[in-house]
Amino acid sequence: PSGEYALSVSVDKAAEEGNLFYVDIEKSGYTSKQTSVNAVAERTATAGTNVLKAIDAKVTSIGTAGGTHTSSAGDVKVIIPAGALKQTKNIRTTLFQQSKELPGKLPSTSFFTYAGQWTADEEDTTFETPVTVHIANTLGFKAGTKIPIGYYNEETRAWEDSGQMATVDSTG
């Protein structure tokens, strides 16, 4: 259920002060979150307030012939060309509206613009050819604006630069 939870962490007095513990927060039907807690011997430590976003309920089955998935709010569209998938997958998108909904903290040099979670049955789905993702330009960027594309790596627990840029088109 929703709410606040206490996580008790015992740190041996002889252990080095300032131990960093990683916490994975998961709930069925919601996006996941990774955070950390700095625990010090004989002190209470908290992971703070964390927000999980409900996963968009709309699912589109797309196979080898390709197809288009649009989120239930209509703010995200994923266009998958023919041949991009080797088998039929259930495609789902969930758009994050605020940085506190993200799976991990953004680097201090980044600003929250647009972010989402794209799933296709299994986590390890690889597209054979590039897919196109359209996100509604709710922030009003001018056409032609370049926005860096990054992704959250759960193994390193960090955001990484994809080396690619998205371009805002004239349709917004």
Side-chain angles (χ1 to χ4, degrees):
S2 298
E4 293 184 23
Y5 300 89
L7 173 66
S8 298
V9 178
S10 297
V11 179
D12 188 315
K13 285 184 181 182
E16 181 181 332
E17 293 287 320
N19 291 290
L20 192 62
F21 291 88
Y22 294 107
V23 180
D24 293 338
I25 304 168
E26 297 177 346
K27 181 179 177 183
S28 181
Y30 290 80
T31 59
S32 61
K33 182 85 160 192
Q34 291 185 316
T35 190
S36 60
V37 176
N38 193 7
V40 178
E42 299 182 10
R43 302 229 174 147
T44 300
T46 178
T49 300
N50 289 278
V51 175
L52 303 182
K53 181 165 178 86
I55 294 174
D56 191 325
K58 186 168 181 192
V59 177
T60 306
S61 291
I62 298 177
T64 58
T68 300
H69 167 78
T70 303
S71 65
S72 60
D75 50 6
V76 179
K77 184 187 299 184
V78 180
I79 302 167
I80 301 174
L85 290 170
K86 291 183 178 181
Q87 62 188 29
T88 299
K89 299 282 185 174
N90 291 317
I91 307 298
R92 182 188 307 253
T93 61
T94 301
L95 190 64
F96 297 109
Q97 303 295 332
Q98 307 170 61
S99 62
K100 67 182 181 180
E101 298 170 338
L102 296 174
K105 188 176 179 179
L106 282 172
S108 60
T109 56
S110 295
F111 296 97
F112 178 79
T113 53
Y114 299 103
Q117 176 177 295
W118 288 252
T119 57
D121 289 337
E122 300 95 26
E123 291 181 21
D124 295 333
T125 296
T126 301
F127 294 104
E128 300 298 316
T129 58
V131 302
T132 301
V133 177
H134 288 278
I135 300 174
N137 184 10
T138 57
L139 298 177
F141 287 108
K142 292 180 182 179
T145 300
K146 303 278 189 197
I147 300 173
I149 299 173
Y151 62 94
Y152 187 74
N153 183 329
E154 290 184 343
E155 289 184 27
T156 63
R157 304 174 96 67
W159 286 93
E160 298 183 9
D161 182 1
S162 72
Q164 299 178 345
M165 300 289 276
T167 303
V168 177
D169 68 18
S170 61
T171 65

